[in-house]
């Protein structure tokens, strides 16, 4: 068994200077990370990328790995390896095929050849050529080819590309005509009727066309999988990771593990009108955890290679611990937040929301601060606790195994809402092993009664209420109260009591030893709610100014009581530089350590240690 908790490195973050590589690897290890997914390394908009180190040199082909880029990537992998951090290596993500590659209408296609790379033979040949080059590349700092280095543990065939999602319409010639020809041949072979020459190829409600697309995607995934095995890749491989459709899931049934992405409460990424819809999981009957459960089957590992509750959602502090806890309950095998950073010049990005590009990434004006978490107290600031939940196993796995039987590949799984927070859940299909499910539900059969206004996991450790607007995690070594705590009075867990004056907060307590909280001599208490830039200005959902340095964190005021067998614990406030700045007054009463936060030495972090 393996459990991975980590981050993505996007674009330029994969090609840093040597001193940055050493520094970032140490930081990731200290904050609990053990995996980095290298994402968008092949992106034309990125500088450097795998095929060019700078934009000053015109390179008319994407068929050669640039030696300077590879040197930077090699050294970063070496540094991660020294810190015990593994690598998830993407294949085709945002590569811009060029006319010099022998590709027709190269600039008429989207990045990565989406979605034509699934069936056009030239694009498939080029993908295989790249796979051969990257997996047989020898890292001079480890002495190993990538295919032989155990630090690289996971890979995918293609990132977020399929023939079904409306984000990837078929519009470019000659690829549209090629697909129609393939569709006509398939119809004739199976004696089926459809107008292949005039049908809307982007209509995914047509069951015949949908079935053909599933077959094309399945054959593509199998061919790419077989080729990676042929050239000596030994690690688990997945296919498409944009599991937004049951047909996409079905086409990945031949892969070693499943992978999916989930985003919640994100902003409008407009360059002029910048809006943010701040909504918290504790305000919603269900949120995107069920989309992940609905794209997982019980017989194979499951990895969440992208998740996020992006800035500037003011309630995003709920996300890190909640994703870790639900994934641990489900027995998911890994998580990687999207993203740590898009680049390495972080001294210029010292506030949230720093822009790094215009409409260059998929037609979307991405902003460093929307997805970058390296300096976000509300998300990365809670990675200490999230890593303990995910990697140490502080939250127990569910012992149940519920499967939803999919009979309609173009329909929703309406009954799965809320199930991810209740018990281990996945889906199954006709003719495929259901993974030893204890119970199989119909596609529209509810697993959880949402009318109760709350969910408690079958282990009893997780609780969330969207009527009371708070949740909790209650285990031996980690205890958390999160959400709109102020209006809920005293929240009592087993051995922890929280009474918050602040309206919204996350209060997390973890043992930093192998002992449970009640016997530990070293505890970390973290308190965070809203975090924003100095002078950031919002009016409702409209953002008018993303502010200036420094990033500020709301002081959380709360009365805390911790049940403990020890009588020698001192509560230290820790500042942003990691220094002890003073003791927080505390007292013992009948086996409880009691303290009030927010008035004396207010901080985000408190170390509670034996004298």
């Amino acid at each position: 068994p393996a459990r991975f908790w980590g981050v993505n490195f996007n674009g330029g973050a994969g090609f840093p200077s040597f001193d940055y590589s050493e520094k970032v690897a140490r930081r990731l290890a200290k904050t609990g990370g053990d995996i980095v997914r290298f994402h968008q390394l092949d992106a034309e908009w990125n500088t450097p990328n795998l095929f060019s180190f700078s934009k000053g040199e015109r390179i008319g082909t994407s068929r050669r790995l640039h030696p300077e880029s590879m040197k930077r990537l090699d050294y970063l992998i070496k540094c991660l390896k020294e810190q015990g951090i593994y690598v998830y290596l993407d294949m085709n993500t945002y590569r811009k095929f060029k006319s010099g590659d022998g590709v027709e209408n190269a600039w008429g296609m989207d990045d990565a050849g989406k979605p034509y790379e699934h069936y056009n033979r030239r694009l498939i040949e080029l993908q295989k050529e790249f796979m051969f080059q990257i997996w047989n590349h020898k890292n001079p700092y480890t002495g190993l080819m990538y295919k032989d280095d155990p630090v690289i543990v996971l890979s995918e065939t293609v990132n977020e590309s399929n023939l079904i999602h409306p984000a990837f319409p078929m519009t470019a010639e000659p690829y549209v005509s090629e697909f129609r020809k393939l569709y006509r041949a398939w119809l004739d072979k199976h004696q089926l009727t459809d107008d292949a020459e005039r049908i809307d190829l982007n209509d995914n409600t047509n069951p015949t066309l949908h079935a053909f697309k599933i077959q094309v995607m399945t054959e593509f995934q199998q061919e790419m999988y077989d080729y990676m095995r042929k050239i000596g890749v030994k690690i688990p491989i997945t296919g498409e990771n944009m599991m937004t459709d049951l047909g996409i899931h079905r086409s990945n049934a031949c892969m070693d593990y499943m992978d999916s992405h989930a985003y919640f409460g994100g902003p409008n990424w407009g360059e002029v009108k910048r809006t943010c819809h701040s909504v918290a999981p504790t305000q919603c009957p269900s949120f995107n955890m069920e989309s992940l459960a609905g794209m997982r089957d019980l017989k194979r590992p499951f990895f969440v290679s992208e998740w996020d509750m992006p800035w500037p959602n003011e309630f995003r502090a709920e996300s890190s611990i909640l994703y870790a806890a639900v994934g641990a309950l489900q027995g998911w095998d890994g998580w990687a937040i999207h993203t740590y950073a898009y680049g390495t010049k972080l001294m210029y990005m010292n506030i949230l929301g720093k822009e790094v590009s215009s409409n260059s990434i998929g037609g979307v004006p991405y902003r460093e601060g929307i997805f970058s978490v390296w300096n976000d107290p509300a998300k990365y600031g809670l990675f200490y606790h999230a890593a303990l939940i995910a990697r140490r196993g502080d939250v127990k796995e569910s012992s149940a195994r519920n499967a939803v039987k999919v009979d309609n590949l173009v329909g929703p799984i309406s009954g799965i809402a809320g199930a991810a927070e209740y018990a281990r859940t996945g889906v199954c299909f006709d003719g495929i092993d259901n993974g030893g499910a204890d119970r199989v539900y119909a596609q529209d059969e509810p697993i959880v009664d949402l009318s109760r206004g709350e969910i408690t996991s079958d282990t009893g450790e997780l609780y969330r209420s969207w009527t009371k607007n708070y949740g909790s995690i209650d285990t031996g070594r980690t205890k958390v109260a999160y959400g709109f705590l102020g209006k809920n009075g005293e929240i009592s867990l087993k051995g922890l009591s929280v009474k918050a004056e602040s309206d919204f907060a996350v209060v997390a307590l973890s043992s930093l030893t192998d002992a449970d909280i009640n016997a530990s001599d070293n505890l970390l208490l973290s308190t965070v709610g809203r975090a924003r830039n100095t002078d950031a200005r919002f009016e409702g959902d409209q953002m008018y100014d993303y502010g200036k340095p420094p990033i500020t964190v709301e002081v959380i005021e709360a009365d805390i009581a911790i049940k403990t067998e020890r009588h020698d614990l001192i509560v230290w406030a820790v500042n942003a530089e990691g220094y002890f700045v003073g003791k927080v007054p505390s007292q013992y009463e009948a086996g409880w350590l009691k303290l009030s936060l927010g008035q004396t030495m207010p901080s985000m972090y408190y170390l509670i240690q034996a004298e």
Side-chain angles (χ1 to χ4, degrees):
R3 289 292 181 271
F4 299 108
W5 176 262
V7 300
N8 280 253
F9 278 4
N10 283 49
F15 308 97
S17 63
F18 283 14
D19 61 336
Y20 178 95
S21 290
E22 295 163 3
K23 183 186 298 184
V24 76
R26 291 195 301 267
R27 185 178 192 233
L28 290 173
K30 285 183 178 181
T31 50
D34 69 340
I35 196 164
V36 169
R37 177 183 178 231
F38 286 123
H39 185 42
Q40 300 173 340
L41 296 180
D42 57 357
E44 173 72 15
W45 46 261
N46 178 61
T47 305
N49 62 56
L50 285 171
F51 311 116
S52 71
F53 187 69
S54 73
K55 290 297 184 285
E57 177 187 7
R58 181 189 176 275
I59 299 176
T61 178
S62 64
R63 296 183 62 188
R64 291 187 292 272
L65 302 178
H66 196 284
E68 183 63 26
S69 297
M70 292 307 300
K71 182 173 76 172
R72 297 281 192 99
L73 180 61
D74 288 340
Y75 193 78
L76 176 56
I77 290 174
K78 171 254 189 190
C79 292
L80 295 173
K81 186 173 183 177
E82 289 176 344
Q83 296 294 330
I85 298 171
Y86 293 88
V87 170
Y88 182 134
L89 185 62
D90 279 3
M91 292 293 100
N92 188 19
T93 61
Y94 279 86
R95 177 181 182 180
K96 189 65 179 178
F97 292 104
K98 302 183 179 184
S99 56
D101 298 332
V103 172
E104 294 185 80
N105 192 15
W107 283 98
M109 293 188 295
D110 286 338
D111 294 341
K114 301 176 183 180
Y116 319 111
E117 88 285 16
H118 281 85
Y119 59 87
N120 177 265
R121 295 314 306 176
R122 179 57 180 166
L123 295 177
I124 289 174
E125 289 170 7
L126 289 171
Q127 291 173 84
K128 288 181 177 179
E129 179 184 68
F130 167 75
M131 288 176 172
F132 184 89
Q133 291 174 344
I134 197 77
W135 288 112
N136 286 284
H137 170 76
K138 186 174 182 179
N139 186 334
Y141 305 106
T142 65
L144 296 170
M145 292 182 181
Y146 280 11
K147 67 182 181 183
D148 296 324
D149 196 334
V151 74
I152 303 176
V153 289
L154 297 169
S155 188
E156 67 199 16
T157 62
V158 62
N159 171 74
E160 291 192 350
S161 177
N162 58 75
L163 296 166
I164 295 174
H165 196 280
F168 314 118
M170 284 186 274
T171 58
E173 290 291 359
Y175 306 101
V176 170
S177 296
E178 180 183 2
F179 189 84
R180 291 188 186 281
K181 183 177 179 181
L182 294 170
Y183 186 38
R184 167 51 57 201
W186 182 80
L187 291 170
D188 292 344
K189 177 180 178 180
H190 295 278
Q191 299 183 338
L192 297 171
T193 303
D194 205 350
D195 189 350
E197 286 68 35
R198 286 183 290 274
I199 190 175
D200 179 3
L201 295 181
N202 301 308
D203 177 12
N204 293 307
T205 63
N206 180 324
T208 306
L209 179 61
H210 192 263
F212 176 64
K213 288 182 176 181
I214 293 173
Q215 178 169 320
V216 172
M217 292 188 296
T218 302
E219 290 175 353
F220 168 79
Q221 299 296 1
Q222 188 66 63
E223 181 176 355
M224 303 312 283
Y225 180 94
D226 291 345
Y227 182 75
M228 291 173 76
R229 289 284 179 252
K230 178 181 177 181
I231 62 176
V233 179
K234 308 172 184 66
I235 60 175
I237 302 168
T238 194
E240 150 77 293
N241 49 27
M242 194 178 188
M243 293 292 171
T244 56
D245 182 280
L246 289 164
I248 302 170
H249 184 142
R250 184 67 181 83
S251 71
N252 279 261
C254 57
M255 310 309 283
D256 296 320
Y257 68 99
M258 302 298 288
D259 189 325
S260 194
H261 300 163
Y263 293 87
F264 177 77
N268 178 342
W269 296 310
E271 287 186 287
V272 178
K273 184 179 181 182
R274 297 170 179 137
T275 60
C276 59
H277 180 51
S278 288
V279 60
T282 48
Q283 295 174 319
C284 304
S286 61
F287 63 113
N288 60 9
M289 293 296 184
E290 60 259 25
S291 71
L292 293 171
M295 293 302 158
R296 178 261 190 114
D297 61 49
L298 298 173
K299 69 181 184 302
R300 283 179 295 170
F302 185 71
F303 196 95
V304 184
S305 62
E306 294 180 24
W307 67 267
D308 203 358
M309 185 174 166
W311 177 91
N313 190 315
E314 64 179 319
F315 308 127
R316 63 190 183 278
E318 292 188 0
S319 62
S320 297
I321 288 177
L322 187 53
Y323 274 91
V326 173
L329 173 75
Q330 287 295 318
W332 297 341
D333 300 271
W335 309 249
I337 193 169
H338 182 282
T339 182
Y340 186 80
Y342 277 89
T344 60
K345 307 293 187 181
L346 301 185
M347 70 289 289
Y348 303 118
M349 304 172 189
N350 54 5
I351 56 173
L352 299 167
K354 182 71 173 180
E355 296 179 358
V356 294
S357 69
S358 184
N359 286 11
S360 58
I361 310 176
V364 176
Y366 280 39
R367 295 157 58 84
E368 176 74 21
I370 284 180
F371 291 127
S372 177
V373 302
W374 70 273
N375 62 346
D376 190 348
K379 287 189 289 187
Y380 199 76
L382 290 168
F383 263 42
Y384 298 106
H385 302 278
L388 291 172
I389 289 170
R391 294 179 56 195
R392 189 167 69 175
D394 284 8
V395 169
K396 294 197 298 280
E397 291 185 28
S398 168
S399 60
R401 303 177 75 86
N402 295 326
V404 177
K405 174 68 163 29
V406 174
D407 295 310
N408 179 10
L409 289 175
V410 297
I413 314 175
S414 55
I416 206 169
E421 296 170 83
Y422 170 60
R424 189 192 305 255
T425 305
V427 299
C428 61
F429 302 87
D430 273 332
I432 297 179
D433 180 9
N434 65 22
D438 302 316
R439 178 174 174 181
V440 177
Y441 289 79
Q443 194 162 339
D444 59 353
E445 183 180 0
I447 297 175
V448 174
D449 181 6
L450 296 180
S451 68
R452 297 180 58 194
E454 61 183 16
I455 302 174
T456 301
S457 67
D458 65 347
T459 62
E461 293 182 341
L462 307 187
Y463 170 83
R464 184 175 67 87
S465 170
W466 50 94
T467 55
K468 298 176 183 177
N469 305 128
Y470 85 93
S472 63
I473 300 167
D474 196 355
T475 78
R477 291 186 289 189
T478 290
K479 299 180 186 293
V480 184
Y482 64 90
F484 297 84
L485 305 184
K487 70 177 185 179
N488 281 287
E490 184 175 347
I491 296 172
S492 297
L493 308 182
K494 298 173 184 177
L496 175 68
S497 170
V498 178
K499 185 177 182 181
E501 293 296 324
S502 304
D503 67 327
F504 172 77
V506 174
V507 177
L509 178 69
S510 290
S511 170
L512 299 182
T513 72
D514 289 334
D516 284 351
I517 287 170
N518 65 350
S520 179
D521 63 0
N522 194 13
L523 305 168
L524 174 64
L525 175 64
S526 300
T527 62
V528 64
R530 297 172 179 87
R532 61 174 55 183
N533 302 326
T534 299
D535 295 336
R537 188 163 63 91
F538 297 84
E539 293 183 16
D541 282 344
Q542 182 72 47
M543 180 181 69
Y544 288 94
D545 190 338
Y546 59 72
K548 62 187 180 184
I551 300 167
T552 59
V553 179
E554 185 177 12
V555 173
I556 302 303
E557 299 183 55
D559 293 330
I560 307 291
I562 304 167
K563 190 173 182 60
T564 177
E565 301 169 1
R566 305 193 65 92
H567 299 280
D568 56 352
L569 298 176
I570 298 174
V571 183
W572 292 97
V574 183
N575 70 7
E577 286 72 41
Y579 293 108
F580 282 6
V581 293
K583 298 178 182 178
V584 176
S586 61
Q587 61 277 341
Y588 286 95
E589 293 181 11
W592 290 80
L593 175 67
K594 296 186 176 183
L595 55 146
S596 294
L597 304 180
Q599 298 298 323
T600 303
M601 301 295 173
S603 180
M604 177 175 165
Y605 294 122
Y606 303 90
L607 273 172
I608 305 174
Q609 296 181 327
E611 185 177 5

